[in-house]
Amino acid sequence: MSVGSQVNREPVTVAVVYFDRAPMFETAVPLNVFGTPDATGMPVFDLFVVAGEQGTLTTSGGLVVEAPFGLDALADASIVVLPSWRDPAERPPEPALAAIRAAHAHGATIVSFCLGGFVLAATGIVDGRRAVMHWFHAPTLAAMYPKVSVDGDALFADDGDVVTAGGTGAALDACLHLVERVRDRHTATAIARRMLTAPRRAGTRPQLLYTAPSSTGSSARLSDVMAFAMDHITEPLGIDELAQRARMSRRSFDRHFRDIAGMSATRWLSWQRVFRAQQLLRDSGEPIEDIAHRAGFASGLSLRRQFHRHLGVSPQDYRLRYGRTA
DNA sequence: CGACTCATCCGCCATC
DNA sequence: CAGATGGCGGATGAGT
C-alpha cells in the first residue's frame, strides 16, 4: 500500500468484521471514523460491515445486528478491521480466520483493537511479530499465543500490513492514524474535529498516563490497584501491600484477582514486568542489568528467568530479533 | 545444580 | 438460606 505524493481520491475499501456477542463500542469506532466524509463531503472510505459468522448477531443487551455482507467481501477490502471478539478463551470460527488470512495474503492491511487481537492472533498472521494489546488482556494473549510478541504498553502500533491497538480510546487513535496514512493529515484532522475528539496521540504513548480516582465496588478497587501497580512496576510490590491498597483482606484480594485477571497477582505482575522489559529491549540499547532494574526485576538473573519462562526466549535473543538497534 | 528460606495462593470451612 | 468474607495450613515456587 503506497501513499505517493499524488493524492489518491479513490475511496479505500474497508471491511469491519462483527462477531456475535462482541462488544459494540469498539465496533462503532471504525464505523464512525471511516464512515465520516472528508472536508469536501467526499467519502474517504467504502465501508463494508461483514458478519464474521453465520446466524444471528447480537450485542450485549440483546440488540440484534444485521451485517449486510458476508466473509467473501473481505476479498475486495484494502483494510480489514477486527474491532472486537466475545471471549478470549474461545477460538474464533475457522471460516473467518481463513478469510482474514486470504485477505492478508492479497495485500490487505489487517487492523485489530483490543479483543479483536485474539482473532488476529488466531489467524497466525502475527506469529513472530509484535501485537499491541490492552494491558489487561495482554498476559492472556501472550500465554495463549507464545509466538506472538505481545505489547501491553503502547496505545497502538503500525507495522505496515498489520495495525494493532489496545483499548477503545486507542482504537480511535489508530483509526485516525489510518486515515492519515491512506489519505493525509488534513483529512484525519478534519474527521477528528467533526467527531470532537482530542488531537491525535502517537501510538507509542503509554496506555496508562493517568489513573482515575477510585470508586466503590471490589472490581473497581481492583482495577485501581492494577493501574497503581503498573505505575509503580519498577518498585518491589508485595501482595499484602496491594491487598491493603484495595481495602480487602488478603484472602479476598487473591480470590477477586484470580476471578478478574485469570491468574494470580504475582504471575500478573511478572507478566507486566516482562512487557516493560520487552519494550525496553526493543527501543533501547541499555544493558540487560539496567533494563531488569527499570522493569522492576530484582536482578538480571531474575529478568532472564521470568522472560524465558513467559516467552520461551532469552532477552538477548529477543533483542536480536526485534530490537530497533541493529 | 541442589539445599534452604520465605512469600504466595488456593482448598477448606466457619462466619457474616 | 445464598452468597461473600476471611482465617488456616500445606503445596508450590521464586530468590539466595
Side-chain angles (χ1 to χ4, degrees):
Chain A
M1 262 228 183
S2 65
V3 182
S5 52
Q6 288 298 319
V7 181
N8 176 15
R9 291 295 180 203
E10 285 294 303
V12 173
T13 315
V14 177
V16 178
V17 185
Y18 185 75
F19 293 97
D20 185 36
R21 286 173 285 128
M24 199 60 213
F25 205 109
E26 288 84 349
T27 309
V29 171
L31 298 185
N32 251 296
V33 175
F34 299 135
T36 304
D38 68 10
T40 69
M42 295 296 291
V44 184
F45 297 93
D46 258 343
L47 200 51
F48 293 80
V49 179
V50 169
E53 56 198 320
Q54 306 270 324
T56 311
L57 304 180
T58 58
T59 72
S60 53
L63 186 68
V64 177
V65 179
E66 200 166 325
F69 295 95
L71 286 168
D72 49 341
L74 296 193
D76 303 321
S78 307
I79 296 176
V80 174
V81 186
L82 311 170
S84 61
W85 171 241
R86 52 177 165 265
D87 181 5
E90 185 182 339
R91 186 173 171 83
E94 192 54 45
L97 299 180
I100 295 162
R101 282 188 209 105
H104 177 253
H106 286 114
T109 299
I110 314 294
V111 183
S112 76
F113 308 138
C114 202
L115 289 175
F118 283 89
V119 181
L120 176 63
T123 64
I125 291 171
V126 283
D127 282 357
R129 304 180 56 183
R130 171 159 74 133
V132 172
M133 174 55 65
H134 189 281
W135 59 270
F136 185 81
H137 297 292
T140 313
L141 183 70
M144 287 175 66
Y145 299 97
K147 289 183 191 161
V148 178
S149 167
V150 178
D151 185 331
D153 215 41
L155 285 178
F156 67 88
D158 182 344
D159 290 329
D161 59 325
V162 173
V163 175
T164 50
T168 307
L172 189 48
D173 292 302
C175 284
L176 291 171
H177 166 84
L178 277 164
V179 173
E180 181 174 335
R181 184 175 115 179
V182 304
R183 185 59 81 75
D184 51 44
R185 175 169 298 193
H186 182 73
T187 307
T189 308
I191 291 175
R193 218 173 251 150
R194 190 160 323 185
M195 296 181 67
L196 294 184
T197 181
R200 52 182 218 109
R201 300 178 290 178
T204 50
R205 288 269 289 275
Q207 289 178 10
L208 293 168
L209 271 185
Y210 43 84
T211 52
S214 64
S215 37
T216 52
S218 61
S219 68
R221 277 178 291 158
L222 255 187
S223 15
D224 284 349
V225 168
M226 283 168 153
F228 169 85
M230 304 244 337
D231 285 342
H232 298 81
I233 199 74
T234 58
E235 300 157 30
L237 296 166
I239 308 301
D240 283 331
E241 181 204 337
L242 294 181
Q244 207 174 346
R245 204 168 265 281
R247 276 164 296 156
M248 289 178 202
S249 73
R250 178 56 200 279
R251 186 66 188 87
S252 291
F253 179 81
D254 286 344
R255 184 166 22 224
H256 282 126
F257 201 103
R258 171 158 284 283
D259 281 352
I260 285 190
M263 65 187 72
S264 73
T266 41
R267 203 172 164 75
W268 183 86
L269 272 178
S270 178
W271 271 112
Q272 299 303 334
R273 293 196 163 115
V274 166
F275 289 140
R276 187 66 56 91
Q278 273 182 293
Q279 189 210 338
L280 293 170
L281 286 165
R282 277 198 307 267
D283 301 342
S284 84
E286 291 178 53
I288 304 285
E289 207 59 42
D290 292 1
I291 285 177
H293 243 224
R294 290 226 281 143
F297 292 97
S299 66
L301 177 66
S302 178
L303 163 63
R304 269 180 273 270
R305 270 207 293 243
Q306 304 282 358
F307 202 92
H308 191 272
R309 198 167 86 82
H310 285 80
L311 303 176
V313 204
S314 75
Q316 286 96 335
D317 286 351
Y318 181 84
R319 171 177 267 164
L320 282 176
R321 209 179 304 176
Y322 302 107
R324 170 177 305 175
T325 50

